[in-house]
Amino acid sequence: MKGFLIIFLLYIMNIQNCQNKNSTADNQNEHVSTLLISFISKGSGINYTAKNVFDEYIASFEKKHNVKIQYEEHGWGREGEVDYCIDLSNLKDKEKNIFLSGTYEKLSNQDNVIIEKNGECRHKKN
């Protein structure tokens, strides 16, 4: 009986820990006001496949959620390097979380792509 009680308590503690991790991630996303996506090159051009996937994701997200993602593209290199400076301030918290999760899902495992929450747009031309 004591063994069952210990296992049950460990199970409850594990569930609570998982819930805390999820709510912490959501709360962190609520404080993200900008997103900087950099498509970089290391001598052979940018990852155009990843860029196209992201362009398609933005278009489908806007259509599905009936919102406009406010962003600027700034080219800065000889090999097609480009930054996406994305303003998330017009999105509701739930939309922001969905957009950020989808962005990470699409781009986090791609080569030559850097994602920065609250990143400053460095290559903006005046």
Side-chain angles (χ1 to χ4, degrees):
M1 185 67 173
K2 287 182 183 180
F4 175 75
L5 184 59
I6 291 171
I7 291 172
F8 180 74
L9 289 173
L10 289 172
Y11 176 75
I12 296 296
M13 288 171 44
N14 187 39
I15 289 174
Q16 185 64 33
N17 189 29
C18 289
Q19 289 174 344
N20 287 342
K21 286 181 182 177
N22 288 339
S23 67
T24 300
D26 289 345
N27 288 341
Q28 288 174 346
N29 286 342
E30 290 173 7
H31 299 293
V32 176
S33 60
T34 60
L35 189 64
L36 175 64
I37 311 290
S38 296
F39 294 90
I40 65 169
S41 173
K42 296 179 182 173
S44 60
I46 67 167
N47 185 339
Y48 284 100
T49 302
K51 184 180 181 303
N52 291 337
V53 164
F54 188 59
D55 288 336
E56 291 171 7
Y57 175 65
I58 290 174
S60 69
F61 184 89
E62 288 177 333
K63 186 175 181 181
K64 182 177 181 179
H65 296 277
N66 197 28
V67 296
K68 179 72 177 150
I69 301 296
Q70 299 173 353
Y71 70 95
E72 298 176 356
E73 276 186 62
H74 298 285
W76 52 271
R78 290 187 246 171
E79 297 179 349
E81 295 92 340
V82 64
D83 285 348
Y84 279 59
C85 302
I86 305 169
D87 180 2
L88 303 173
S89 62
N90 68 316
L91 299 180
K92 297 175 185 168
D93 288 341
K94 184 176 180 179
E95 294 168 337
K96 191 184 302 184
N97 286 330
I98 293 168
F99 182 77
L100 289 169
S101 295
T103 297
Y104 275 93
E105 179 184 314
K106 304 281 185 198
L107 298 179
S108 64
N109 292 325
Q110 295 285 344
D111 291 334
N112 298 338
V113 178
I114 299 171
I115 304 170
E116 292 180 53
K117 290 181 181 179
N118 293 320
E120 184 178 330
C121 194
R122 294 178 292 272
H123 300 100
K124 193 171 186 175
K125 295 175 183 169
N126 294 328

